[in-house]
Amino acid sequence: STRESDGANADSPFDFQPGVGLIQGWTEGVLQMKEGERAWLHVPSEKGYGANPMGSPGGAFYIPANSNLLFDIEILGKKDSSASDLL
């Protein structure tokens, strides 16, 4: 988590561009959200990493193959509203 309330040293917002280097479910989900909105985003395995595990068991993080994912997302702002044409 990047939220201080979940144990991070501080809240850590980050920039991203929908559709670039992100899983399909993340891109689809965030493009439906409005600036200032906070939501739980459920990403089924087939729109996440599918049959591919991520990370390594015992490492800093590990996501087993065929895992459904759950993200707590808050859209703090948008730099460019034209991102919706990526879908």
Side-chain angles (χ1 to χ4, degrees), residues 54-74:
M54 295 300 292
S56 58
F61 78 96
Y62 178 63
I63 301 171
N66 302 310
S67 292
N68 294 320
L69 306 171
L70 183 63
F71 299 97
D72 177 7
I73 299 175
E74 182 176 7

Side-chain angles (χ1 to χ4, degrees), residues 29-43:
V30 298
L31 288 177
Q32 294 179 45
M33 295 176 69
K34 296 181 176 113
E35 189 171 327
E37 183 177 0
R38 183 174 179 181
W40 287 100
L41 177 61
H42 172 260
V43 178

